[in-house]
Amino acid sequence: MKTIGKTIIAVLCIGLVVGGFYLLSNKKASGEADNVSEVQKVILKDLTGDAYPATPREVLKLYNRIMCCYYNEEYTEEEFEKLADQARLLMDQELADNNPAEQYYMQVKAEVESYRSQKKTINNASVSDTNDVKFGTVDGAECAYLESSYFVRQKSGFSKSIQEYILRKDDEGKWKILAYNLKEGETAEDE
């Protein structure tokens, strides 16, 4: 009887040691994941395979994350180019062709520098609710129409702008940003 009791106690002790080691190693691994910046998280997203966002809203949410990284985060030149490359992967081929990589880099860089010189940051970016996404067909291609609002913090307070986006489904069934423009009359400033 005593040997059975000692065996059970030994098994429990070994279980506790192994369990404790497992918890510590998982805590360390999750702590290392917490050290990854938002820029790195966005850059590491594989947009060439099955991890591509499945819906127009998800595409726009990821695009907004990239926008927030541009304007709010610190990054190297190499990270900036990788962010821009990720944004271009979300673009319809027609939009990407109209914004060659080097030209796109320069445009975004100029906008970001302008924002930073004015001490502006994107405080919040949100996408239309699922019920507000409108779908249609243009020239035989499926299209989705949705909006994204951006709250920008600046010296004088906050401003809000709304962008209208059109996404088109490509030959692989992926939603891509075809066009966007600022919705007129939607910018407001609080002092």
Side-chain angles (χ1 to χ4, degrees):
M1 225 24 165
K2 287 184 179 183
T3 58
I4 293 174
K6 288 180 182 179
T7 305
I8 291 173
I9 290 173
V11 169
L12 287 175
C13 287
I14 291 170
L16 287 173
V17 170
V18 170
F21 179 75
Y22 176 77
L23 288 174
L24 286 175
S25 65
N26 276 349
K27 187 174 184 178
K28 182 180 177 187
S30 68
E32 288 170 359
D34 292 341
N35 291 334
V36 177
S37 72
E38 177 65 7
V39 170
Q40 292 166 335
K41 287 177 187 174
V42 171
I43 288 171
L44 292 173
K45 282 199 148 307
D46 178 15
L47 299 180
T48 59
D50 294 335
Y52 190 88
T55 68
R57 286 188 79 241
E58 289 175 15
V59 171
L60 201 47
K61 283 180 180 183
L62 180 55
Y63 185 74
N64 283 346
R65 283 179 66 192
I66 295 169
M67 292 293 122
C68 289
C69 285
Y70 285 153
Y71 296 105
N72 300 345
E73 303 291 331
E74 295 297 322
Y75 43 79
T76 65
E77 184 67 25
E78 181 183 354
E79 288 174 324
F80 167 75
E81 288 182 8
K82 287 180 180 178
L83 278 172
D85 290 340
Q86 291 289 71
R88 287 178 48 76
L89 287 172
L90 297 175
M91 292 180 184
D92 184 87
Q93 191 59 51
E94 187 176 329
L95 181 59
D97 289 345
N98 288 325
N99 291 281
E102 285 301 317
Q103 177 184 328
Y104 181 72
Y105 297 157
M106 291 181 351
Q107 288 173 338
V108 171
K109 200 176 282 190
E111 271 185 49
V112 168
E113 287 172 6
S114 172
Y115 257 64
R116 289 187 176 181
S117 71
Q118 297 174 43
K119 298 196 183 330
K120 290 182 178 181
T121 57
I122 297 177
N123 198 48
N124 186 18
S126 60
V127 179
S128 304
D129 288 334
T130 303
N131 296 336
D132 295 329
V133 178
K134 300 199 179 3
F135 293 93
T137 305
V138 177
D139 296 330
E142 283 184 71
C143 292
Y145 305 85
L146 58 161
E147 295 179 348
S148 188
S149 25
Y150 303 93
F151 291 92
V152 177
R153 180 187 301 250
Q154 52 197 5
K155 290 179 193 175
S156 62
F158 292 92
S159 64
K160 175 185 175 185
S161 64
I162 298 177
Q163 291 266 19
E164 297 175 308
Y165 288 86
I166 301 171
L167 283 80
R168 178 166 59 185
K169 198 177 264 192
D170 70 7
D171 295 337
E172 297 175 11
K174 295 178 178 176
W175 289 101
K176 302 281 188 155
I177 299 169
L178 175 63
Y180 54 91
N181 70 314
L182 183 64
K183 192 169 179 180
E184 293 296 322
E186 292 294 335
T187 302
E189 290 188 25
D190 297 328
E191 302 215 22

